[in-house]
Amino acid sequence: MKSTHDEITDLLHGYLHGTLAEEKVALVEAHLAGCDECVWEFSVAATLLKIETPEPDDRYFNTLTNVVINSAKVTVPNTAKATAPNRFNLWKYLFRPIPVTAAASLCLVIYLIAVNFGGFHSGQVQYGNKTAKNIMVDVSVSDDIMNSLEEEYGDDFSVGYDGGDDVAVAL
Amino acid sequence: MDEDSRVEDNRLIDSFLDGGDETALEELVIKYRREVYLVAYRMAGDMEEAKDITQKALISAVAKLRDFKKKSSFKTWLYRITVNAALNHMRGNAYKTVELCETMKCEDEGVVSCLMKKEQAQSLKVLLTALPPRQRLSVILRVYEGLSLAETATVMGCSEGAVKSHYHSAIKKLKTAMAATKTGKDL
């Protein structure tokens, strides 16, 4: 009987708010029919529930929410780190682009080496059955040079001249 | 429904604590801010006091969120913090007597009946505010918040037996006040 009384008291709130299932309502009403103590208790509770409580406006609640969230940035350390406002970050602005810059610089150095020391301009020239390497000669073009080349290599050479100072001789 | 709510609360807490998701925290605060205020108001009996208590309770709850072990529901845990905040606040303010500015719902009743009930409710409300804090708390949690005996015991940090004792003492006093009002009217 004692436990039933406690169970009924636990159902008080739901009964007064009309949120109980039908069988629970029947259980409560059956108990109330024979228990004056519970009738009084329910009566007191029902009267208390009829009193409206003054509430602040939405502005108060919105401000409250912001205050609580801002306080969390200070009082919950790890979360503060994750949600901290953007601050100046030396790593982000100075060191993070370094790999990209380094890669670009390396490419540039390789290109310059290839151009200046690797004979980037020259290529393989097929002459009959022979493959000869181009030779870049920085000379003033004159008949003397042509004659000397003919003397030295006979017919086994060709000369490419693009109008500039370079003459390409292929063997 | 309660279980769904509990699971959802735990998800929001994890989302905030592990992922730093502020919107999860915001959702949680929005969900419970009014309920915390109502408990605070019913404890303090004054809107301004209740606002202070609500803010203290929510800030304190968020600061201690990592200590929430999920053994009870978040709501029960939050109520416990609110109740402690209210008791500390009231202790600090040396229990001020406050003017209760409350109205009463009179939906489909006559004017005389409504006035009688209003007077009855007013006297009950005054008496509720004058009850010892733990008795008042047991009524607030049981009647207004609809917590079970076990949940009320968790929030109040005492045994179920102690809750029953506080609650029945409070109801007895309120019942006496109601009976006195009725008798006065009959005379």
Side-chain angles (χ1 to χ4, degrees), chain B residues 64-115:
Chain B
K64 293 175 185 168
L65 209 50
R66 286 195 190 280
D67 298 335
F68 173 54
K69 303 295 179 202
K70 296 172 187 169
K71 286 176 186 169
S72 63
S73 68
F74 175 71
K75 183 179 171 179
T76 307
W77 182 78
L78 181 60
Y79 275 6
R80 183 163 190 175
I81 288 176
T82 306
V83 164
N84 287 335
L87 291 173
N88 287 337
H89 187 88
M90 286 155 61
R91 216 172 285 140
N93 286 357
Y95 197 73
K96 283 199 283 187
T97 307
V98 293
E99 186 71 26
L100 292 166
C101 50
E102 287 178 333
T103 55
M104 183 160 162
K105 295 176 202 167
C106 298
E107 283 146 5
D108 44 21
E109 295 166 275
V111 178
V112 176
S113 167
C114 179
L115 283 172

Side-chain angles (χ1 to χ4, degrees), chain A:
Chain A
M1 186 64 191
K2 184 73 178 171
S3 63
T4 308
H5 183 84
D6 290 338
E7 282 170 22
I8 295 298
T9 309
D10 272 350
L11 299 174
L12 179 148
H13 187 269
Y15 179 77
L16 292 173
H17 284 86
T19 56
L20 284 187
E22 274 182 34
E23 64 270 23
K24 297 270 185 189
V25 172
L27 190 73
V28 170
E29 287 177 349
H31 181 82
L32 288 177
C35 181
D36 285 346
E37 194 183 339
C38 279
V39 170
W40 265 111
E41 186 182 324
F42 275 45
S43 176
V44 168
T47 310
L48 287 173
L49 283 173
K50 282 190 174 180
I51 300 169
E52 287 178 342
T53 307
E55 289 183 41
D57 56 13
D58 287 344
R59 200 170 48 180
Y60 162 75
F61 282 119
N62 292 336
T63 309
L64 173 71
T65 306
N66 291 333
V67 168
V68 173
I69 288 170
N70 286 332
S71 79
K73 289 172 184 171
V74 179
T75 56
V76 188
N78 289 350
T79 312
K81 192 177 173 183
T83 59
N86 289 334
R87 280 181 288 181
F88 177 74
N89 187 330
L90 190 64
W91 170 256
K92 184 179 174 184
Y93 292 104
L94 194 60
F95 295 111
R96 194 184 283 177
I98 278 182
V100 177
T101 312
S105 303
L106 188 62
C107 289
L108 184 64
V109 167
I110 290 170
Y111 175 74
L112 290 174
I113 288 171
V115 166
N116 289 297
F117 304 106
F120 196 73
H121 290 307
S122 60
Q124 298 294 315
V125 176
Q126 194 73 29
Y127 179 71
N129 293 330
K130 297 176 184 176
T131 301
K133 197 169 80 175
N134 280 358
I135 301 168
M136 302 298 294
V137 186
D138 187 12
V139 293
S140 296
V141 180
S142 68
D143 290 340
D144 293 342
I145 291 169
M146 291 298 288
N147 290 335
S148 64
L149 285 169
E150 280 175 2
E151 281 173 16
E152 191 174 344
Y153 298 111
D155 292 334
D156 290 336
F157 80 97
S158 65
V159 178
Y161 174 59
D162 61 1
D165 289 339
D166 291 340
V167 176
V169 179
L171 297 174

Side-chain angles (χ1 to χ4, degrees), chain B:
Chain B
M1 179 65 184
D2 280 350
E3 190 54 35
D4 288 349
S5 176
R6 193 171 168 160
V7 170
E8 177 62 10
D9 289 349
N10 290 343
R11 187 191 66 76
L12 291 172
I13 291 165
D14 290 342
S15 185
F16 170 64
L17 290 179
D18 301 338
D21 184 1
E22 274 185 16
T23 55
L25 177 66
E26 188 177 356
E27 208 176 314
L28 206 60
V29 172
I30 289 171
K31 184 175 177 183
Y32 287 109
R33 62 190 183 185
R34 186 174 170 271
E35 290 182 44
V36 169
Y37 166 80
L38 290 175
V39 171
Y41 178 81
R42 284 164 186 149
M43 282 295 288
D46 175 70
M47 189 192 269
E48 292 308 314
E49 301 270 323
K51 282 181 182 178
D52 285 350
I53 294 167
T54 305
Q55 184 167 320
K56 281 180 191 170
L58 286 172
I59 288 174
S60 172
V62 170
K64 293 175 185 168
L65 209 50
R66 286 195 190 280
D67 298 335
F68 173 54
K69 303 295 179 202
K70 296 172 187 169
K71 286 176 186 169
S72 63
S73 68
F74 175 71
K75 183 179 171 179
T76 307
W77 182 78
L78 181 60
Y79 275 6
R80 183 163 190 175
I81 288 176
T82 306
V83 164
N84 287 335
L87 291 173
N88 287 337
H89 187 88
M90 286 155 61
R91 216 172 285 140
N93 286 357
Y95 197 73
K96 283 199 283 187
T97 307
V98 293
E99 186 71 26
L100 292 166
C101 50
E102 287 178 333
T103 55
M104 183 160 162
K105 295 176 202 167
C106 298
E107 283 146 5
D108 44 21
E109 295 166 275
V111 178
V112 176
S113 167
C114 179
L115 283 172
M116 279 173 65
K117 290 207 169 181
K118 188 174 179 179
E119 190 180 331
Q120 206 172 57
Q122 197 58 35
S123 63
L124 267 193
K125 186 63 197 170
V126 170
L127 192 61
L128 179 68
T129 320
L131 286 174
R134 298 191 81 76
Q135 287 184 14
R136 189 181 344 153
L137 190 53
S138 68
V139 173
I140 291 167
L141 295 175
R142 300 279 281 147
V143 175
Y144 287 109
E145 303 306 323
L147 298 191
S148 69
L149 205 57
E151 287 172 324
T152 309
T154 305
V155 172
M156 290 177 66
C158 61
S159 68
E160 291 185 22
V163 172
K164 273 192 228 175
S165 171
H166 289 310
Y167 180 70
H168 285 117
S169 299
I171 289 291
K172 198 174 170 184
K173 287 177 188 172
L174 295 171
K175 185 175 87 175
T176 309
M178 252 179 94
T181 315
K182 268 190 174 179
T183 311
K185 285 289 156 194
D186 290 343
L187 292 171

